[in-house]
Amino acid sequence: QGESRNMWQTTNDMNFRSYISSHFRRILILGLVLAAQAATGLTNESQCADVDLTVSGAESLLSERICSTASRAKVQLNACGLFQTERLTVEVKPKVGVHGECFGQYSCGGQLIEIQNPAAMATVLKRMPETENIPPDVFFDSILVHELAHAFVYQTRGGPARVRTEDEYIAYAMQMEFLPEVWRNTLLALHQVTEPVDMDAINLFVLAMAPSLFRAKVYVHFSGDGNG
């Protein structure tokens, strides 16, 4: 009986030591992961100071860039009578869209902007002759402004547009206006669009079949007297 009691105690001591060892290993692993995240500046979520925006899925430097771009975009959008009424979240992802076909998209239901990360965006830009020379960070900023424009329009209006081209006109106009002149001219040079541009030429068919032509037509019209 004494031997049985000693065996039971020994077995339970071994189980207890195994449990403690396993528990501390988990704590150690968790600590190492957190330390690695801190060392590389990774963060799951951060808040912007000058605009009501949460950034998710970006390392600290990219989060700062997003907040800075959003702050400057807010000034531009407000000057056009577009205002933010609800908090927005910007989620940075390697792929956006069902098949990863988008640079960015805005979901009005969740007030969520999804945007492709600059590294993934750079890979796509290099495969497109019309954008291969545009710095990825500059293009990234312009896509963010495009999606912010969608969000501000939706929140200002209190709902979606009757026709999709209404929202896309504003988003592309704001995107092009935000770009530095040299890169804006690079995109405009892809299509020889001249004034005047008839609004009938800015339609869903052009948007679907030739987005870069739609973008050029929008900005040339937007830049005309009494339009922008």
Side-chain angles (χ1 to χ4, degrees), residues 94-106:
K95 291 183 179 181
V96 176
V98 177
H99 304 291
E101 71 280 8
C102 302
F103 286 122
Q105 64 182 16
Y106 164 63

Side-chain angles (χ1 to χ4, degrees), residues 2 18 30 33 54 62 74 95 98 113 184 211 225:
S18 176
L30 177 60
V33 169
T54 299
L62 181 57
K74 178 182 177 181
K95 291 183 179 181
V98 177
I113 291 172
R184 179 167 63 241
D225 291 339

Side-chain angles (χ1 to χ4, degrees), residues 47-200:
Q47 311 297 322
C48 296
D50 299 326
V51 60
D52 198 7
L53 200 70
T54 299
V55 181
S56 174
E59 48 86 21
S60 58
L61 290 178
L62 181 57
S63 291
E64 291 173 9
R65 182 181 188 91
I66 290 170
C67 290
S68 174
T69 298
S71 180
R72 290 184 290 132
K74 178 182 177 181
V75 174
Q76 177 179 303
L77 293 166
N78 287 173
C80 293
L82 303 173
F83 300 94
Q84 181 183 9
T85 60
E86 296 180 51
R87 171 170 285 274
L88 289 163
T89 297
V90 173
E91 184 177 351
V92 182
K93 307 172 70 174
K95 291 183 179 181
V96 176
V98 177
H99 304 291
E101 71 280 8
C102 302
F103 286 122
Q105 64 182 16
Y106 164 63
S107 171
C108 54
Q111 297 305 326
L112 171 68
I113 291 172
E114 297 172 282
I115 189 168
Q116 191 176 45
N117 67 51
M121 196 174 288
T123 301
V124 177
L125 294 177
K126 287 297 182 183
R127 297 200 299 262
M128 302 165 63
E130 66 268 26
T131 56
E132 63 180 349
N133 295 319
I134 298 179
D137 56 345
V138 171
F139 196 76
F140 176 90
D141 289 349
S142 78
I143 295 296
L144 177 60
V145 174
H146 182 109
E147 301 306 333
L148 284 169
H150 277 304
F152 276 47
V153 167
Y154 183 92
Q155 292 187 7
T156 299
R157 187 194 293 120
R162 293 171 300 165
V163 182
R164 185 184 172 196
T165 49
E166 292 181 16
D167 282 356
E168 292 298 343
Y169 180 103
I170 298 170
Y172 274 115
M174 293 297 96
Q175 176 183 358
M176 291 290 278
E177 183 70 12
F178 191 86
L179 278 168
E181 185 177 6
V182 61
W183 302 119
R184 179 167 63 241
N185 289 340
T186 297
L187 294 179
L188 288 173
L190 297 172
H191 303 280
Q192 300 304 313
V193 178
T194 57
E195 293 188 77
V197 175
D198 193 298
M199 281 299 292
D200 289 340

